[in-house]
């Protein structure tokens, strides 16, 4: 678990907090290795290192990918690394002088992977709990829709908790899908107190499941990196999510109309066809879901930007997805 | 059946061919009745009359919808009508002096409904035949995909043959879905001779089934008029078509990859998300299907326009869907 | 005040609930009079009548605008009307046989004007109260920003409570600006519990004041109808709202940075330049405000649509501003 | 001529088929030379080598462009090359240890240039033959339009057969204009059997000539690389193509109306002004031409992608011009 | 000729200046006749009347188009009319009690047609004169480009002076093409004094000829109303204008490069392909022409609007082509 | 001051005119220093050098940013440089062998900064003079609007004369704002002679002040490089410019309506919301200002391109902001 500036699982501080001029010996995760050749034909490698907070690229000279592999160092290896931190064009630069498989065999990949700021189990359980609270059994005529949602989340608990929610835009981290869904369920719940004619059970089920298809649209590596699957390209997560819902209804006494509305919400949560919606929101819960989705994505992008901005500073370029530079106020 | 300028089922010529100044007594279909009040408070009605070629609006004074209903004349009634044809602002104007339920009880609604220029049975049978010709059983390892398509077309033969393909844009007539599918299957077949790497079975199945979801997206009246269903608004024909395919695979030994491709083609045949595609074409057959679909739609629009244009004439405004006025050359 | 199907101020039911075939004698507000001539040159008038729920257009024959004016009936006159309700093309049609200035002199224009479903005073007071709760005095170094917002709302209390929020799109009714602001303040407050890093005082002030410039962009008639002013055309409500904020800071010890952020939020709440934003949101509160604004507008549009839709029905066309037809589920 | 994996003109296999770790000595075409300096100030060169299938970039150290020129090696020189194939970041990397002008003086530039998969002469002759078959002399009242097309293709046979059809998008190879025109003529012919009201002669002439202006819009090098001309920038190939047609009518007895239609087809074949059409298609043949053009371009792009994709694989990014990643099915 | 509020050719004031309640007997031009039937089946007509300033629609009861024709009154007839002016919904309404062919046989159609505010001959001569002033003979090596422009304007003097420049957007009046060209030539000349590197001869020729193709794109009636021709639909005025220039070069010693630039300017003066440009401006004179063209069109639209707006008033809706309502300041 | 090919302030020619193979010793301005590391870990630097005409990037090996700083060479230092000019891929390449603070202490940063082709004082004075000429005091009832403009230009004379007008698009140089405003005032003045109903005083004030807000939107370095300020991101130059005008009216007897129009012009000069206008032009002066602004920007872009193009040449790619490649005619 990662909090503040200390990785609770390794007791090591952020790599990006190391001072210029310092040298470090510490465990890290190698998540990628890229070999390059200098102009004289000598191989060197760029290694991507994860410390549980972010990715850092470091150079290691006079070695090759094959050399490293011979020493059992491949992508997704936990290593003990010796690094030197220097300055380069005003930014920190990292050089690796030595890499070896980590001596501490208790360390695992997951100890170095960035996670959301809320514990995964806490979020998962809170979603289930809120779905239960919102359940509506229509005076015993039907099984609540919440039950359908919970059955799905129970069956796919593991990928639902670990999938990323994007390749690069927002919530692109291990557990990103869960974190995104979690905050949306909470926002949905809060807004139902303001817009009281909204169907709370329906909106919460929609918030919890709207991106469930991303489990199959992306493959998320153990290190939290997402990549498109061929099914993602051929069908998209809207169709796959809607199909999933449909497959979970057979043999259950759900209110059919309400299941239809849930499927409609998944198909329409991108809002307009221009942004990939299969159909446009035709009920208020679908429209509310669309805005809650967008809002959460944008809030995440601001939070990401604010991590590296000083107060009173503007970002040095337009942020993709935000249409403007970002400013961090100074109060 | 309708051909040239004579309705073969009623032996009556086109109503729009009647000369100005003439009076007529003939059977027609009343497809809609709209009551209006003149400035003095007197009711009169506009009746929509179908002759098997097109819709004509006629005025009937000194009567009301209730009057007509009392005489058993409602929408979808075959009537004997007395009409006078006059000129109004350079166009023909129709006035009804008398309406009565048709004496000839053998006449039915379908005798007056516009149909495609090719016989429905001929088209349906030819599609089945071409699908059979294109069938590929992968050396007995799988049931051909064509078999899946034919099973669907067999089960839904009646709505597939009678549905309209649109509210107003193109192929908006009884049998429009079939006519559109028929010409697309033929075009697909022809292009496979040019682009020989295309999978003929796959492309023909896609052409035959791409709009199958329209059976549930629209409800087509007996008179050939289409209206959106709530399922059409909530899900769209792409999702409904793709779901249908999926539902027909259980218990059959189809090549799974090929079924996936067929589903992808249905989801992507609108080409881009801006035009409502769920995903964009990722295989050449999906892209070819998209263009064949567009081409057939545009050809239909030109044919519609040409019916009422003289040689050397331009249409009097831009045609919706064609982005320009239409010109009919004079050779 | 208007609730359910009875106008509490006049004790009369909805005019649109009157049965076909019935005649009525009751007080109503004439909000507009339009004279027409029938084909024989005789004048008749269309009068727009308000009952506190909606606008109804009725025909009155054998009279003219001048006739009515001679009888002291002009726009914004409360009248006693004799009406007959008939059917016309499946819809209700209203004919006026007599109009006279209302005998009950206690009735006033405001008794017949549509108002939001929450009492104006209740909403106004709740906004002030929530702004007070969110006030932040930065440990006595500054006057809270909430104070600035409250000073503005105090000075412009009357127009803030009565202005419409639009010509036709959403919240286009007397008190519309207040109702829109009220629900947004509540939604903003609710979301701050989910997105805890948002500055609650800033977001609530933005929600309360974001459309304050509409007071000068539109002129709202006593009957609740809005029209553009020339200042609205020349400057727009974003610029006028931002200028207003600026004008209220002189002589006060507000946190300057926070005032700047509030001005930025007003200038950017339309989200992108394409939708009229002066600049795009550069802080998360500005982005959140943009989505809360859009969400509230769309919820209003759905509520409007649902008033006239039956369960299981779709609207008969795309709703302007919603990009789709609307469906009302049947549970 | 190039077929399968062997260059029939040189008897050498594809350079990209060489195994990692191997060394090669073989003839190749140097099509471009780019000098670079390493960080120590030493020159090295990147040479672009063509083998008749594709372009490969190889590094040659310890030399300069001037060195190579002194040894008579410039762009468009056929050379004997010694190469070593290694792996670099999972891809093949090529290093040149020696280059010399080819010993076999019979080898020429054209032996190494990528060509379409169908022989140029075969395609040219087939176009002429199909145009002849479609000729219509209007019962001897006019010279057929096909005659006009054939006169143009005869006069400009050489550039028509060798020009590229694009800088980079599709058919960007020597003979690309011919290959594109050839398949379009065949597709046009096939579709005329489905859409029987289309004028076959007109559509085939349009397909053969629609891009004729590209002869002047681009200059295509002997090696098949295209570059814009100033006339291309100033006038575009639509205007230049249309002007060319006009210039070929003087002194001939063509049907004037039909020539006008051909000019219209050239001016409108990009479909909409947004995509550069001078006017939008106003006759069905112009619309059909537009779709045939688009279809052929997309089919080419898929074919290009499929050359380097494995079955079951998706392309690693969106393909420019296709709006999606490409998938190659595995059957 | 029309100036101020008096038609100099007929000595009659603006018809729209007639007071409500008054009756008039005066000559007018009937430019269109439209027959309608009232709800009782009686014919009446709407006649479009021109007074040299604008078009007025008047009703004439108890007559028909045939009646009028029998009395020799057809479109484009000069008549003596008896009219009554009344008020209708706050606007003036015109009723015709009698129409007869004008007694004054010296009156002709052109006396009643709206013309630009500058005399046609004055404008034409000034254009010729400015072209002559800008002529550049390149030290006797070439015939000036101005000579080419003047030859074209001489040959097509009559249609150049009388054509409209649009169906409805701007300069849609007899002489509109000339007026538009005239002001653009003057603006071009003025801007060459600021942007001194612009080629004055080239820019003035471009301004004078840029819309010359509209002579064939529209047919302008004697009464000043424009309609699209089929050539306009098939080719557009850009292509037709450019072709015209080309046709005027044979046998003359113009600087070829400069003629090419003039053709480029005509093809590119719409600025971007989205607005119909064949190519985009590639030289500064082409870009300047584009802006001068747009500026003149917008100035005309404002002038049209200002004719009917009071000071301090905004137009009652967005003006098509101006993207906003128009305001007329009060100083 | 910079003219032709000689920097009048330093008597040195353009650095880009130095011949390949030559070496130079001369004063230059170092405007930026960027450190890089070669593959062997050795630092080298890229220095950006200004000669008064343009920016040149040169490499200096075997040194680091820290080395240079130790020798007092930082950004914005005037230096004596020893350079060698070589060729690299057909372009000139510059290597620095030595750098030292300039011996001539009279040289300053401004001697090496690119300036507009017209003297700053001349432009400023001419603007003031033209504003004075256009002043209108409404027969002594008001202080002229020109007076307001002149007061602003007097107070902000220094930043108005030195600010850049853009980050990179056009007029992105020290004095760019002034040069852009100057030519626009002249163009505005010239066009008022053609469009005589335009209010000259208003249009000239608008031209002089339309971009005044850029003084706060950008910070322009002494070397002429512009960067966004946080106020620029939060408010934009339209809002800041309009607010500035408002702030200058207190205590003066300007015609209020005219001040409003000036504010409207500043808010609307981007033309449409898509391009960032706060409102769209509602008066002809605002529309004219928009086109004059665009025209001047495009003319500047062409001039920039033409500096480096040969006659008969096209630019090697589309020019950002011009939508096409640029061609330089050869006469």
């Amino acid at each position: 678990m990662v909090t503040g500036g200390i990785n609770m699982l390794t007791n090591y501080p952020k790599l990006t907090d190391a001072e210029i001029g310092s040298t470090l010996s510490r465990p890290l995760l190698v998540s990628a290795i890229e070999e390059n050749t200098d102009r004289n034909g000598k191989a060197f490698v760029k290694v991507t290192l994860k410390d549980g907070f972010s990715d850092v690229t470091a150079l290691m000279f006079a070695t090759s990918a094959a050399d490293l592999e011979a020493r059992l160092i491949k992508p997704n290896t936990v290593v003990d690394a010796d690094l030197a931190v220097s300055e380069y064009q005003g930014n920190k630069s990292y050089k690796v002088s030595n890499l070896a498989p980590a001596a501490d065999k208790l360390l695992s990949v997951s100890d170095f992977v960035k996670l959301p700021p809320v514990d995964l189990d806490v979020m998962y359980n809170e979603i289930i709990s809120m779905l239960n609270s919102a359940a509506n059994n229509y005076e015993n005529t039907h099984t609540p829709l919440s039950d359908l949602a919970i059955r799905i989340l129970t069956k796919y608990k593991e990928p639902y908790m670990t999938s990323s929610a994007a390749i690069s835009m927002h919530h692109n981290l291990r557990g990103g899908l869960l974190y995104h869904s979690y905050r949306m369920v909470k926002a949905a719940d809060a807004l139902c107190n303001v817009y009281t004619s909204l169907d709370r059970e329906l909106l919460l089920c929609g918030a919890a499941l709207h991106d469930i298809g991303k489990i199959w649209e992306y493959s998320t590596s153990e290190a939290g990196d997402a990549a498109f699957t061929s099914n993602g390209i051929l069908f998209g997560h809207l169709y796959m999510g809607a199909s999933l819902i449909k497959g979970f209804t057979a043999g259950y006494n759900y209110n059919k109309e309400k299941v239809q509305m849930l499927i409609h919400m998944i198909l329409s949560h991108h809002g307009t066809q221009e942004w990939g919606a299969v159909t446009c929101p035709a009920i208020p819960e679908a429209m509310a879901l669309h805005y809650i989705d967008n809002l959460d994505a944008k809030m995440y992008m601001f939070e990401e930007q604010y991590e590296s901005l000083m107060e009173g500073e503007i970002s040095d370029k337009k942020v993709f997805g935000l249409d403007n530079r970002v400013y961090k106020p100074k109060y």
Side-chain angles (χ1 to χ4, degrees), chain A:
Chain A
M1 205 180 77
V2 170
T3 63
I6 296 284
N7 184 336
M8 305 293 277
L9 300 162
T10 65
N11 286 320
Y12 280 89
K14 281 188 187 180
L15 187 47
T16 54
D17 284 347
E19 291 191 11
I20 291 169
S22 67
T23 57
L24 308 165
S25 292
R26 56 167 292 177
L28 288 163
L29 175 67
V30 171
S31 67
I33 294 174
E34 183 188 309
E35 184 175 318
N36 284 280
T37 313
D38 74 11
R39 301 306 193 193
N40 300 318
K42 290 189 189 165
F44 68 98
V45 295
K46 285 186 188 174
V47 289
T48 305
L49 300 168
K50 288 176 185 273
D51 65 350
F53 297 96
S54 61
D55 288 7
V56 160
T57 300
L59 297 184
M60 187 171 185
F61 293 105
T63 189
S64 68
D67 283 352
L68 291 177
E69 191 165 357
R71 288 189 275 147
L72 305 175
I73 296 167
K74 300 176 292 188
N76 282 324
T77 305
V78 180
V79 296
D80 290 323
D82 296 334
L83 297 113
V85 187
S86 59
E87 189 175 17
Y88 179 54
Q89 296 180 35
N91 297 319
K92 286 178 185 170
S93 166
Y94 303 84
K95 276 179 205 152
V96 178
S97 53
N98 198 31
L99 283 183
D104 180 351
K105 295 307 174 194
L106 296 178
L107 293 172
S108 71
V109 168
S110 61
D111 298 337
F112 297 90
V113 168
K114 186 179 176 184
L115 290 171
V118 186
D119 180 75
L120 300 185
D121 286 314
V122 167
M123 292 193 286
Y124 179 84
N125 291 334
E126 197 166 342
I127 290 173
I128 299 294
S129 165
M130 293 177 83
L131 287 172
N132 271 319
S133 301
N136 181 344
N137 71 355
Y138 290 89
E139 302 177 359
N140 289 320
T141 58
H142 294 100
T143 308
L145 190 72
S146 284
D147 174 84
L148 186 157
I150 292 169
R151 284 175 53 229
I152 291 174
L153 298 188
T154 303
K155 174 157 181 189
Y156 296 108
K157 180 175 181 181
E158 194 278 336
Y160 186 72
M161 286 181 69
T162 56
S163 288
S164 173
I167 306 291
S168 63
M169 281 284 283
H170 66 94
H171 297 90
N172 47 326
L173 77 169
R174 188 171 175 85
L177 173 61
L178 178 62
Y179 183 41
H180 180 45
S181 304
Y182 167 72
R183 291 213 299 190
M184 283 177 62
V185 169
K186 290 184 71 171
D189 192 63
L191 288 171
C192 284
N193 295 332
V194 179
Y195 298 98
T196 52
S197 62
L198 291 174
D199 183 320
R200 189 184 301 262
E201 183 189 44
L202 182 58
L203 187 56
L204 266 64
C205 288
L209 295 175
H210 77 291
D211 271 350
I212 189 80
K214 287 191 173 175
I215 291 175
W216 299 274
E217 188 175 32
Y218 307 126
S219 63
T220 305
S221 73
E222 201 182 349
D225 300 314
F228 270 109
T229 63
S230 56
N231 279 347
I233 296 301
L234 292 166
F235 309 119
H237 70 274
L238 275 62
Y239 170 76
M240 291 191 289
S243 288
L244 180 75
I245 304 296
K246 202 176 172 186
F248 266 73
T249 57
Y252 284 81
N253 178 31
Y254 300 120
N255 181 317
K256 275 187 190 151
E257 178 85 351
K258 211 158 176 184
V259 172
Q260 297 285 71
M261 293 308 111
L262 180 59
I263 291 174
H264 168 65
M265 286 169 76
I266 291 177
L267 292 176
S268 68
H269 78 267
H270 285 188
T272 70
Q273 293 188 329
E274 183 190 350
W275 296 331
V278 176
T279 54
C280 295
I283 59 173
E285 289 82 6
M287 189 61 86
L289 179 65
H290 167 57
Y291 283 111
I292 293 168
D293 186 16
N294 261 8
L295 175 64
D296 190 62
K298 306 290 185 184
M299 290 300 106
Y300 186 90
M301 294 178 203
F302 272 105
E303 289 157 5
E304 285 280 283
Q305 291 296 316
Y306 273 20
E307 279 184 21
S308 55
L309 274 186
M310 310 284 284
E311 291 198 350
E313 205 184 4
I314 51 174
S315 61
D316 59 359
K317 56 182 176 187
K318 278 195 182 188
V319 179
F320 186 65
L322 290 179
D323 268 341
N324 198 358
R325 296 175 188 227
V326 163
Y327 177 70
K328 188 169 186 174
K330 51 175 191 292
Y331 295 125

